[in-house]
Structure formats: C-alpha cells, structure tokens
Amino acid sequence: MAPPEPAQQIGFTAAESTPRFPVPRRPPAGAPNVVAIVLDDTGFGHLGAFGSDIATPHLNALAAGGAPFNRFHVTSLCSPTRASFFTGRNHHAVGMGFLSDIPLAYPGYHARLPPSAAALPRLLRQAGYSTLAVGKWHLTPRWERSAAGPFDTWPLGIGFERHYGFLQGDANHWAPNLVCDNHYVEAPRRPEEGYHLSEDLADQAIRMVQDQQQAAAGKPFFLYFALGAMHSPHHVAPEWVQPYHGAFDQGWDVWRAQVFERQAAAGIVPADTILTERPSWVRGWDELTADERRMQARQQEVFAGFLTHTDAQIGRVLSWLESSGLLDDTLVLVFSDNGASAEGGQEGSVNEHRFTAHVRESLEDNLAHYDDWGGFSTYNHYSWAWAWAGNTPHKLWKRYTWLGGTRTPLIVHWPGHIAQPGTVRAQFTHVIDLMPTIMAAAGIDLPEQVDGVVQQPVDGTSLLGALADPDAGEVHRTQYFEMLGSRSIFHDGWKATTDHISSGVLDEEELAVGSRDFASDRWSLFDLGRDFSEAVDRAGEEPERLAQLTALWAAEADRNHVLPISDGMLDRFAGFIQPDWPAGSSRTYRPGGGPVHDESIPLLWGGFRLTATLQTGGATAEGVVCALGDWFGGYALYLIGGRAHFTFSRAGDLLELAAAEPLGRGAHQVAVAYVVGAGPEPGRMALLLDGTVADEILVDGLLPMALQHGGTGLRIGSDRGFPVSAAYTPPAPFSGTIESVRIDAPGTPPGHEADEVRAALHGD
C-alpha cells in the first residue's frame, strides 16, 4: 500500500491544497488617471480662458489643449455641488440640499451621502484605482468633525484611501485647521516661516501621487485636488499682489465691460449675448468717494494676486505630472463649486468673523488694514460688486439660482481624446454629469448594487460625446435648481427663475430688491438658446410655457426631496439634528491630548465660567494655560511674568482682563466668569484668582456664537498658528503644571438660529 500524500497525512484534501488566487482588481485597459481640480467661489469671468485679464496661464493652457464648456452649471453652493459631483445625483436627492454645517431631519437636508449613492472614489477604488483627496472637504455634518468622529462621512469613509486638507467650508491660508486621513495635524511651518495652505496642498498632492506611482507604477489614480481658493479669506503674499497695483482703478463697471468684450472676441459667449445690468442696489463705481475707490480697488488687487498664485500651484501639480510622463494618460477636469461670492457685502470685510459677532463693516476699519490686506492681520473678503463683476455677463452670485450663482467655468483636458482642442463646447451641462463622464472614460459600468445596497438612479449623463464632437447634440434636457428659496428650472433650452431674496447676508437683507415671500415670488422666463446671459424676460409673451416650466419645477422638486423649502432655514430649526454626544454645559479638559474640536466644547456666548487649576513658579511663570482660535476670533488664558491675563477676541475686538500682581509660587485656581447683560444692560466679565476678583470689565452686546468659520480646537498648555493676543507668541508653552481646565456654560440664549445660518453661509 502506497504511503499517503502529505496533505492527507495532516487531514487536508487535495482540493483544499490547491492555490486559489484572488482576482486582481484592475481597471479596464486604457483607463486614464483622473485629476479633478475644484476651485471655490470662482466666477464665470474670473479665468483668463473665460475673458479675464487676471493671469491664469496654466488653466488657460489646459483650456487651449482641452475643452472649455461655457454652459456648465452647479448648485450655487459648496457642499451641495461637491455632493452632486461625487454621486452624479441631484443634491437634494442625496441629502445635501444645504450646507453640511446645518444637518436637518428632512430627506433632502440630512447632510450625509447615503449608501444608495455610493461615491465616485468608492466606485473607482473598487475597480482598482488608487484614490487620493487633497484640500477642502465640507461634506461631513456638524458634530461629526471632532477627534471622536464618527469617520464614515470623512474622505476615507466615502472611499478615499488618503486625505490631507480641511473639513469645513473655509480655512485661514496662513494657519489652517488641518486634517490628515482621520486625525488633526499641525501645519508643517508657521506663517512667519513662509507657510501657505495652497502651496502645502500642492506639495501634498505631488507627494501622494509620487508615492503611489513609485509603489505601483502604472496603477491608475484618482486625485481630488480641491483648493481653499478662491474662497475668502483672500490670503496671499505681497509679491503676488504687486503686479496688479493700479490694475482695477477703473472700477467694476468698466472692468466688467472689458471682460465681456474679451469673452465675445474669444467666442466664450455668443456674439449676440447681452451684458446684464448692474443691480440697482449695488453702487456704481462713480458713486464712490476717492477713499472708497482706493479701498475697493485694493480688494480686487489682492483677489487677483490670490488667483494668480492659485493658478501657479495648479501649474506645479500639472508640471509634475507632465515631467513624470503621466499627464498624457490623465483626464483633468477643472470647475468651480459656485459663482463668485458676495458674502463680503457692500463694503468688503477685513475680518469675515465680524459678521457673526454682530460687528458692522466700515470703510474706516478696512482702510486701517489697507497695507496688510490679504496678510496676517486680515481675514478678508472683497465687496459684492466685485463678485458681480466676476460673474460677467450674468446676474447676481453664489447662493442664487440665477446664472451668476450656477454657471461656472468647466475645463476638460484629456490628450488624444478631445476633438478640436480649444473649441468651446456649448452643450448644457451640470455637475451631476461629471461622475458618469469619469466612469465612462474609465470604462467602468455604474453598479446596480454596492455592498448589497441597491443604488438610486444616476441623474447625470456622460459628456464623452461632447468631447468627441464640439457640435454634439444636447443630452441634458432638464435640470431643476433650488438654494435657500431661490428656484429655477431649465428644460429644452428655456429657463424660468424666481426673484426670491434669501436671508443670511445682512446687506442683502436690507438692500436687495426682490421678493421675500414665497407666495409673491415672480418667475421670469428666458430663452437660453438665444439669450445666453438670462437678460430678456419672456414671461409676458409666453405665459403657457412659463406655466409648464413652473409645473415641471414642482414635479422635479417632489422627485428629489426639495421640500420643504426655506429662504434661511430658520423655520426648519425644529428639525436641526443634534449631536449624539453633546458637549453639555460642563466639561473638564486636561493636558496631554490633541486640540479639542470647538464643536465638542460648551458654547460660551450665553455666559460661562472657565476655571484653570494649576501650579506656578511665581513671578517666573509664563505661557498659555489654554487657548482656542486666534486674533480673528477666540480666547486665551495665559501668564506673562507670573501675571494672569485673559483675552477674548470678538472678531478682532479684544476684551482683555489682567491681574495687577503675579501669582505666588504653588497651587492656584485662575477663573474667568462672564454673565450676559439683562436687556439693554451690558454684560460683565471678571478674572478671579483663587476666588478673588482681580479685574473686571463691562461687555456691550453679545459674544459671538461662532469664533472660527474654519473650525478650531482648544489647546491646553500651549498655542499654535496665530495668537489670540499679540502679548504672547505661539507656541508659548506653559512653564508650570496644569491639572485641569473646566468650562461651565449654563446654556445658549434664545434667538441663536439666525446666527447659526449666517455663520454657516460665511464659512462656506
């Protein structure tokens, strides 16, 4: 009898001993790399390829070698556009009817991408792509952005393998609130050492792709490169601004007309396009004083320098791809998430946090920062008139469903796959079309199920036909729009748009002309086939067509979960989704951990008591006990020469307390107490040392609800980035021993809902 086989000797069958190799995950042959470059708050007329005289040579080159689309549309706000890009579905249909900062318990507004709409990076990764995200996210609901997560709505949670950037709607470009993968990190350099967020993001994008290609040469990758620019603050070094000194002294009316002339000459707008008029409530350049003109021109100079600097960082990434032999095999898409932003209001803002601190903008305050506009001391935004000009030739701006809010540049570049490079594509397109375009370019079918979940229908349609033929027929026949009560509908070349004015921006609430009551909203009608800029209202001539379109809007709204609509969200705050693990009214923090996210800290503006238990070495004691935010908005308790200090920055307006004598050596309790004033009476803020009042001030008005639009964290024992007070320089480590910092806050005063919405809008 023959001896048993080795497998049989230890109890295995021959079949179990046969190797079973996993099926390799590889995209179809020829699948391109994909790079999506997403700009923020960039208007239709801002890029050189779309008529601007602001230098954007790298983006211009992409357009010349690719396909610029002049009828590309987005949702008119950040989070909704990004949700539509990743899913190929309308934004309400995936729960992102508004910003992720305001999650509501309504199907169209819960601010979480559903499993039934698996996101583009998840699908590409499953098909064998590497998936890399760099930059702005703004798709994670409020209360889920702390170190505790949950992380399923962070970039890695929806399908990216790597992420470096920021989670919220904006960021300080000199000192951002940064995330790497699923944790918060510090910037690699301080502002004084030459750090800038856009440059850092370009560095990270290049390194991620380089690491990926060196580890798996030839493996296709999807790079989502979402810059914080051109969102405010418009932060840029002076050398980028200098070439634009005097370039905008002619003002927005003349500059807009010049942009329009270049657009028509280049064919980016049809020859018969009408340049729409300036809104009656936006001042003309000739109505300004000399000081106003000087300040307003400066705002646009800095914006222009910021845009050219942004283009240079995009150029660095593209140049690296080219030098690495990757660009010819890469599908590049460039678009903006909405039109230019008017959140700077009539004057422009030296510090956008002033809005939620109930501090009015003024020419005097702006002029005081003229020389450093865009620098370390500003969190700046230009005025709404420059936003209007940046959207040439269209009406209005971001947040509205007029073309100024929804029509932005789109550039598609894919060597060897675009017929007649540089030729304008005039087909009606929408951001929901980009996901199916990418999937089709990669040769990957849209799945019917993902992880056992049946997928909801994709609303977008591939644009490959338009890339292959500039004169290809229309494939996107119908598209609804809704944002903050502003509504419109496109169908077969016609568009109907309401005159509704939303709330959330104070100057608009007071000055804008239009309806503020849904029952009295007026619909206008435009033949976009003949009227590129939405200039000639045909409602009176075509009442039946208008009725058909408004009925179609209602049907689309019902299908996509648009209702209930609101122009400011205030009437829906009963549905505001609260945190699973709220900060509560009392929390204790200890040294040794990372920064505690501001959404995990009790709100201070309704009154508070902050108590630090510590030990000092007497008059030699120095450093930060605790700090949150910076001089644009935040608070810090710190010691200088043994003396306790507390500074609260109310959007740059400093409330300061200081002890006259140093603390003695040993254990102490240092506390700050704030009590809200009753009615017209001012509030009181006091510094207490071991229970005894050491300093006290009166506080007129309320403290702001939001201290940092871009998010921040409470640090114990040191600080980072910019300080809250110029009296200390970060990191300013505390020289003594901190046992704990306790915050007790009795609650939030009534009427905070409006500030929630306004803070969200200014942070988008």
PDB file of all heavy atoms in Angstrom, residues 89 94 110 112-119 122-123 152 448-456:
ATOM      1  N   ARG A  89     -25.735  62.530  -8.689  1.00  0.00           N
ATOM      2  CA  ARG A  89     -27.157  62.743  -8.403  1.00  0.00           C
ATOM      3  C   ARG A  89     -27.401  64.202  -7.993  1.00  0.00           C
ATOM      4  O   ARG A  89     -26.497  64.904  -7.564  1.00  0.00           O
ATOM      5  CB  ARG A  89     -27.627  61.837  -7.255  1.00  0.00           C
ATOM      6  CG  ARG A  89     -27.922  60.395  -7.658  1.00  0.00           C
ATOM      7  CD  ARG A  89     -26.719  59.532  -7.526  1.00  0.00           C
ATOM      8  NE  ARG A  89     -27.026  58.105  -7.710  1.00  0.00           N
ATOM      9  CZ  ARG A  89     -26.107  57.143  -7.646  1.00  0.00           C
ATOM     10  NH1 ARG A  89     -24.820  57.427  -7.416  1.00  0.00           N
ATOM     11  NH2 ARG A  89     -26.448  55.883  -7.829  1.00  0.00           N
ATOM     12  N   VAL A  94     -29.516  63.353  -2.551  1.00  0.00           N
ATOM     13  CA  VAL A  94     -28.535  62.679  -1.693  1.00  0.00           C
ATOM     14  C   VAL A  94     -28.403  63.389  -0.348  1.00  0.00           C
ATOM     15  O   VAL A  94     -27.393  63.262   0.348  1.00  0.00           O
ATOM     16  CB  VAL A  94     -27.159  62.557  -2.390  1.00  0.00           C
ATOM     17  CG1 VAL A  94     -27.260  61.611  -3.576  1.00  0.00           C
ATOM     18  CG2 VAL A  94     -26.616  63.912  -2.823  1.00  0.00           C
ATOM     19  N   HIS A 110     -30.362  66.100   5.242  1.00  0.00           N
ATOM     20  CA  HIS A 110     -29.721  65.475   6.401  1.00  0.00           C
ATOM     21  C   HIS A 110     -28.198  65.546   6.352  1.00  0.00           C
ATOM     22  O   HIS A 110     -27.518  65.214   7.323  1.00  0.00           O
ATOM     23  CB  HIS A 110     -30.176  64.021   6.566  1.00  0.00           C
ATOM     24  CG  HIS A 110     -30.040  63.199   5.322  1.00  0.00           C
ATOM     25  ND1 HIS A 110     -28.831  62.836   4.782  1.00  0.00           N
ATOM     26  CD2 HIS A 110     -30.991  62.659   4.507  1.00  0.00           C
ATOM     27  CE1 HIS A 110     -29.017  62.104   3.699  1.00  0.00           C
ATOM     28  NE2 HIS A 110     -30.330  61.986   3.495  1.00  0.00           N
ATOM     29  N   ARG A 112     -25.786  63.850   4.789  1.00  0.00           N
ATOM     30  CA  ARG A 112     -24.983  62.626   4.791  1.00  0.00           C
ATOM     31  C   ARG A 112     -25.199  61.905   3.463  1.00  0.00           C
ATOM     32  O   ARG A 112     -26.339  61.548   3.139  1.00  0.00           O
ATOM     33  CB  ARG A 112     -25.374  61.698   5.934  1.00  0.00           C
ATOM     34  CG  ARG A 112     -25.194  62.272   7.326  1.00  0.00           C
ATOM     35  CD  ARG A 112     -25.695  61.276   8.361  1.00  0.00           C
ATOM     36  NE  ARG A 112     -24.922  60.058   8.331  1.00  0.00           N
ATOM     37  CZ  ARG A 112     -23.804  59.857   9.024  1.00  0.00           C
ATOM     38  NH1 ARG A 112     -23.355  60.802   9.822  1.00  0.00           N
ATOM     39  NH2 ARG A 112     -23.152  58.720   8.947  1.00  0.00           N
ATOM     40  N   LEU A 113     -24.143  61.676   2.699  1.00  0.00           N
ATOM     41  CA  LEU A 113     -24.290  60.935   1.452  1.00  0.00           C
ATOM     42  C   LEU A 113     -24.779  59.527   1.777  1.00  0.00           C
ATOM     43  O   LEU A 113     -24.166  58.809   2.565  1.00  0.00           O
ATOM     44  CB  LEU A 113     -22.961  60.868   0.704  1.00  0.00           C
ATOM     45  CG  LEU A 113     -22.345  62.212   0.298  1.00  0.00           C
ATOM     46  CD1 LEU A 113     -21.091  61.984  -0.540  1.00  0.00           C
ATOM     47  CD2 LEU A 113     -23.336  63.079  -0.453  1.00  0.00           C
ATOM     48  N   PRO A 114     -25.897  59.087   1.176  1.00  0.00           N
ATOM     49  CA  PRO A 114     -26.495  57.805   1.568  1.00  0.00           C
ATOM     50  C   PRO A 114     -25.783  56.620   0.919  1.00  0.00           C
ATOM     51  O   PRO A 114     -25.162  56.744  -0.147  1.00  0.00           O
ATOM     52  CB  PRO A 114     -27.933  57.931   1.045  1.00  0.00           C
ATOM     53  CG  PRO A 114     -27.807  58.824  -0.147  1.00  0.00           C
ATOM     54  CD  PRO A 114     -26.721  59.810   0.190  1.00  0.00           C
ATOM     55  N   PRO A 115     -25.874  55.432   1.520  1.00  0.00           N
ATOM     56  CA  PRO A 115     -25.294  54.225   0.906  1.00  0.00           C
ATOM     57  C   PRO A 115     -25.888  53.921  -0.464  1.00  0.00           C
ATOM     58  O   PRO A 115     -25.256  53.246  -1.272  1.00  0.00           O
ATOM     59  CB  PRO A 115     -25.638  53.121   1.916  1.00  0.00           C
ATOM     60  CG  PRO A 115     -25.905  53.821   3.199  1.00  0.00           C
ATOM     61  CD  PRO A 115     -26.473  55.152   2.839  1.00  0.00           C
ATOM     62  N   SER A 116     -27.093  54.417  -0.750  1.00  0.00           N
ATOM     63  CA  SER A 116     -27.724  54.174  -2.042  1.00  0.00           C
ATOM     64  C   SER A 116     -27.146  55.039  -3.150  1.00  0.00           C
ATOM     65  O   SER A 116     -27.566  54.931  -4.304  1.00  0.00           O
ATOM     66  CB  SER A 116     -29.229  54.431  -1.939  1.00  0.00           C
ATOM     67  OG  SER A 116     -29.471  55.775  -1.530  1.00  0.00           O
ATOM     68  N   ALA A 117     -26.186  55.903  -2.803  1.00  0.00           N
ATOM     69  CA  ALA A 117     -25.500  56.732  -3.799  1.00  0.00           C
ATOM     70  C   ALA A 117     -24.003  56.640  -3.530  1.00  0.00           C
ATOM     71  O   ALA A 117     -23.365  57.600  -3.109  1.00  0.00           O
ATOM     72  CB  ALA A 117     -25.984  58.175  -3.741  1.00  0.00           C
ATOM     73  N   ALA A 118     -23.444  55.447  -3.732  1.00  0.00           N
ATOM     74  CA  ALA A 118     -22.017  55.231  -3.475  1.00  0.00           C
ATOM     75  C   ALA A 118     -21.195  56.261  -4.245  1.00  0.00           C
ATOM     76  O   ALA A 118     -21.436  56.520  -5.421  1.00  0.00           O
ATOM     77  CB  ALA A 118     -21.617  53.821  -3.880  1.00  0.00           C
ATOM     78  N   ALA A 119     -20.220  56.850  -3.568  1.00  0.00           N
ATOM     79  CA  ALA A 119     -19.483  57.979  -4.129  1.00  0.00           C
ATOM     80  C   ALA A 119     -18.415  57.528  -5.118  1.00  0.00           C
ATOM     81  O   ALA A 119     -17.926  56.389  -5.077  1.00  0.00           O
ATOM     82  CB  ALA A 119     -18.848  58.797  -3.011  1.00  0.00           C
ATOM     83  N   ARG A 122     -15.302  55.631  -4.017  1.00  0.00           N
ATOM     84  CA  ARG A 122     -15.616  54.258  -3.612  1.00  0.00           C
ATOM     85  C   ARG A 122     -15.712  53.353  -4.845  1.00  0.00           C
ATOM     86  O   ARG A 122     -15.184  52.232  -4.852  1.00  0.00           O
ATOM     87  CB  ARG A 122     -16.946  54.262  -2.855  1.00  0.00           C
ATOM     88  CG  ARG A 122     -17.540  52.889  -2.584  1.00  0.00           C
ATOM     89  CD  ARG A 122     -16.768  52.156  -1.490  1.00  0.00           C
ATOM     90  NE  ARG A 122     -17.436  50.924  -1.128  1.00  0.00           N
ATOM     91  CZ  ARG A 122     -17.378  49.775  -1.813  1.00  0.00           C
ATOM     92  NH1 ARG A 122     -16.668  49.731  -2.927  1.00  0.00           N
ATOM     93  NH2 ARG A 122     -18.002  48.707  -1.389  1.00  0.00           N
ATOM     94  N   LEU A 123     -16.351  53.829  -5.904  1.00  0.00           N
ATOM     95  CA  LEU A 123     -16.508  53.028  -7.111  1.00  0.00           C
ATOM     96  C   LEU A 123     -15.184  52.843  -7.837  1.00  0.00           C
ATOM     97  O   LEU A 123     -14.879  51.748  -8.328  1.00  0.00           O
ATOM     98  CB  LEU A 123     -17.524  53.689  -8.042  1.00  0.00           C
ATOM     99  CG  LEU A 123     -18.937  53.894  -7.468  1.00  0.00           C
ATOM    100  CD1 LEU A 123     -19.827  54.567  -8.493  1.00  0.00           C
ATOM    101  CD2 LEU A 123     -19.538  52.569  -7.008  1.00  0.00           C
ATOM    102  N   ASP A 152     -17.318  57.968   9.101  1.00  0.00           N
ATOM    103  CA  ASP A 152     -17.848  57.430   7.854  1.00  0.00           C
ATOM    104  C   ASP A 152     -18.191  58.508   6.833  1.00  0.00           C
ATOM    105  O   ASP A 152     -18.375  58.207   5.653  1.00  0.00           O
ATOM    106  CB  ASP A 152     -19.074  56.547   8.121  1.00  0.00           C
ATOM    107  CG  ASP A 152     -20.158  57.250   8.928  1.00  0.00           C
ATOM    108  OD1 ASP A 152     -19.821  58.010   9.850  1.00  0.00           O
ATOM    109  OD2 ASP A 152     -21.338  57.025   8.634  1.00  0.00           O
ATOM    110  N   GLU A 448     -25.399  48.348 -10.091  1.00  0.00           N
ATOM    111  CA  GLU A 448     -26.774  48.385  -9.613  1.00  0.00           C
ATOM    112  C   GLU A 448     -26.833  48.258  -8.097  1.00  0.00           C
ATOM    113  O   GLU A 448     -27.777  48.752  -7.470  1.00  0.00           O
ATOM    114  CB  GLU A 448     -27.582  47.265 -10.266  1.00  0.00           C
ATOM    115  CG  GLU A 448     -27.730  47.420 -11.777  1.00  0.00           C
ATOM    116  CD  GLU A 448     -28.577  46.315 -12.386  1.00  0.00           C
ATOM    117  OE1 GLU A 448     -29.039  45.430 -11.618  1.00  0.00           O
ATOM    118  OE2 GLU A 448     -28.767  46.320 -13.610  1.00  0.00           O
ATOM    119  N   GLN A 449     -25.827  47.583  -7.511  1.00  0.00           N
ATOM    120  CA  GLN A 449     -25.753  47.444  -6.065  1.00  0.00           C
ATOM    121  C   GLN A 449     -24.319  47.687  -5.614  1.00  0.00           C
ATOM    122  O   GLN A 449     -23.370  47.373  -6.329  1.00  0.00           O
ATOM    123  CB  GLN A 449     -26.179  46.047  -5.612  1.00  0.00           C
ATOM    124  CG  GLN A 449     -27.639  45.721  -5.831  1.00  0.00           C
ATOM    125  CD  GLN A 449     -28.027  44.399  -5.165  1.00  0.00           C
ATOM    126  OE1 GLN A 449     -27.359  43.930  -4.239  1.00  0.00           O
ATOM    127  NE2 GLN A 449     -29.117  43.807  -5.636  1.00  0.00           N
ATOM    128  N   VAL A 450     -24.169  48.238  -4.422  1.00  0.00           N
ATOM    129  CA  VAL A 450     -22.865  48.398  -3.783  1.00  0.00           C
ATOM    130  C   VAL A 450     -23.008  47.944  -2.337  1.00  0.00           C
ATOM    131  O   VAL A 450     -23.878  48.448  -1.605  1.00  0.00           O
ATOM    132  CB  VAL A 450     -22.365  49.860  -3.850  1.00  0.00           C
ATOM    133  CG1 VAL A 450     -21.056  50.007  -3.067  1.00  0.00           C
ATOM    134  CG2 VAL A 450     -22.184  50.308  -5.291  1.00  0.00           C
ATOM    135  N   ASP A 451     -22.193  46.984  -1.940  1.00  0.00           N
ATOM    136  CA  ASP A 451     -22.271  46.424  -0.588  1.00  0.00           C
ATOM    137  C   ASP A 451     -23.691  45.943  -0.264  1.00  0.00           C
ATOM    138  O   ASP A 451     -24.167  46.073   0.870  1.00  0.00           O
ATOM    139  CB  ASP A 451     -21.816  47.450   0.452  1.00  0.00           C
ATOM    140  CG  ASP A 451     -20.363  47.845   0.277  1.00  0.00           C
ATOM    141  OD1 ASP A 451     -19.584  47.016  -0.220  1.00  0.00           O
ATOM    142  OD2 ASP A 451     -20.014  48.991   0.614  1.00  0.00           O
ATOM    143  N   GLY A 452     -24.367  45.409  -1.278  1.00  0.00           N
ATOM    144  CA  GLY A 452     -25.704  44.879  -1.082  1.00  0.00           C
ATOM    145  C   GLY A 452     -26.811  45.917  -1.083  1.00  0.00           C
ATOM    146  O   GLY A 452     -27.984  45.560  -0.916  1.00  0.00           O
ATOM    147  N   VAL A 453     -26.451  47.193  -1.282  1.00  0.00           N
ATOM    148  CA  VAL A 453     -27.446  48.269  -1.280  1.00  0.00           C
ATOM    149  C   VAL A 453     -27.778  48.635  -2.720  1.00  0.00           C
ATOM    150  O   VAL A 453     -26.884  48.976  -3.504  1.00  0.00           O
ATOM    151  CB  VAL A 453     -26.933  49.509  -0.518  1.00  0.00           C
ATOM    152  CG1 VAL A 453     -27.973  50.631  -0.579  1.00  0.00           C
ATOM    153  CG2 VAL A 453     -26.609  49.150   0.919  1.00  0.00           C
ATOM    154  N   VAL A 454     -29.053  48.575  -3.073  1.00  0.00           N
ATOM    155  CA  VAL A 454     -29.487  48.971  -4.410  1.00  0.00           C
ATOM    156  C   VAL A 454     -29.236  50.467  -4.595  1.00  0.00           C
ATOM    157  O   VAL A 454     -29.581  51.281  -3.729  1.00  0.00           O
ATOM    158  CB  VAL A 454     -30.982  48.645  -4.622  1.00  0.00           C
ATOM    159  CG1 VAL A 454     -31.463  49.171  -5.973  1.00  0.00           C
ATOM    160  CG2 VAL A 454     -31.216  47.145  -4.518  1.00  0.00           C
ATOM    161  N   GLN A 455     -28.639  50.824  -5.714  1.00  0.00           N
ATOM    162  CA  GLN A 455     -28.257  52.214  -5.962  1.00  0.00           C
ATOM    163  C   GLN A 455     -29.405  52.988  -6.607  1.00  0.00           C
ATOM    164  O   GLN A 455     -30.086  52.498  -7.495  1.00  0.00           O
ATOM    165  CB  GLN A 455     -27.027  52.262  -6.854  1.00  0.00           C
ATOM    166  CG  GLN A 455     -25.800  51.611  -6.230  1.00  0.00           C
ATOM    167  CD  GLN A 455     -25.316  52.350  -4.996  1.00  0.00           C
ATOM    168  OE1 GLN A 455     -24.703  53.424  -5.105  1.00  0.00           O
ATOM    169  NE2 GLN A 455     -25.584  51.804  -3.824  1.00  0.00           N
ATOM    170  N   GLN A 456     -29.596  54.214  -6.132  1.00  0.00           N
ATOM    171  CA  GLN A 456     -30.626  55.066  -6.725  1.00  0.00           C
ATOM    172  C   GLN A 456     -30.169  55.550  -8.094  1.00  0.00           C
ATOM    173  O   GLN A 456     -28.964  55.599  -8.374  1.00  0.00           O
ATOM    174  CB  GLN A 456     -30.936  56.238  -5.793  1.00  0.00           C
ATOM    175  CG  GLN A 456     -29.795  57.192  -5.541  1.00  0.00           C
ATOM    176  CD  GLN A 456     -30.070  58.121  -4.361  1.00  0.00           C
ATOM    177  OE1 GLN A 456     -30.078  57.692  -3.205  1.00  0.00           O
ATOM    178  NE2 GLN A 456     -30.302  59.400  -4.657  1.00  0.00           N
TER     179      GLN A 456
END
